[in-house]
Amino acid sequence: MRRTIVFALAFVLSCTTVQNQKSAPGKPDDLHFHNLKVLPQNISQDDLIKTMRIFSRSLGTNCGHCHVQTNAGAAEGTRPEFDFPSDAKPEKNIARTMVRMVHDVNSNYVSQIKDRKQDVTCMTCHRGKVIPEVPVVSGEAQPQAH
């Protein structure tokens, strides 16, 4: 009987603790992103993550391609951590240049096409590769099909 009472009391206390944790306000995230030079300063966290995933898929890479990993020596299976504001990797500045180029192409050229169906994106050229595969085009005229 005593064991049952102790168990019931422990159960009630644990439920109360869990309920208090659920009702307590969470700590606000520091959603002020640092060192954004091309993306909008007021970008939402969801839009930033979505944009980074588009870059990753388009180039077939992950965060470590442009961002410095701070726990590179961590044990296998440990989630990587990054210094996102750092400009130490040249790939980050290359990415910024490419974002500016894509914006320029879409704003100044693609936007002039009547009935355009889509804009130029990273995937347009990269197609999952860091270095886009460019087809060799010879200067010779191709025979026309009749």
Side-chain angles (χ1 to χ4, degrees), residues 69-81:
Q69 187 173 347
T70 57
N71 65 342
E76 187 174 328
T78 302
R79 185 173 186 203
E81 295 175 12

Side-chain angles (χ1 to χ4, degrees), residues 7-135:
F7 177 74
L9 185 59
F11 180 74
V12 169
L13 287 174
S14 66
C15 288
T16 304
T17 302
V18 168
Q19 186 61 36
N20 287 340
Q21 288 174 347
K22 286 183 180 179
S23 63
K27 294 179 184 175
D29 291 336
D30 175 16
L31 295 181
H32 179 73
F33 302 109
H34 306 281
N35 200 20
L36 295 178
K37 296 181 180 178
V38 176
L39 299 175
Q41 293 292 319
N42 63 345
I43 191 170
S44 71
Q45 182 176 12
D46 288 344
D47 286 345
L48 180 63
I49 298 299
K50 179 181 171 185
T51 300
M52 293 298 118
R53 286 183 177 154
I54 289 169
F55 293 161
S56 293
R57 287 184 192 121
S58 296
L59 277 72
T61 61
N62 58 31
C63 303
H65 183 74
C66 292
H67 300 287
V68 175
Q69 187 173 347
T70 57
N71 65 342
E76 187 174 328
T78 302
R79 185 173 186 203
E81 295 175 12
F82 298 96
D83 179 4
F84 292 114
S86 172
D87 286 334
K89 294 187 87 170
E91 292 85 355
K92 188 171 184 179
N93 282 319
I94 292 169
R96 288 178 175 140
T97 300
M98 298 298 284
V99 168
R100 288 183 190 105
M101 178 195 70
V102 166
H103 182 266
D104 185 53
V105 167
N106 287 323
S107 297
N108 297 321
Y109 301 99
V110 176
S111 65
Q112 305 302 313
I113 300 171
K114 184 180 176 185
D115 299 327
R116 77 176 200 259
K117 302 293 183 212
Q118 68 182 44
D119 286 339
V120 170
T121 66
C122 302
M123 185 62 87
T124 304
C125 297
H126 284 274
R127 300 180 185 266
K129 308 239 186 257
V130 173
I131 306 294
E133 293 179 3
V134 181

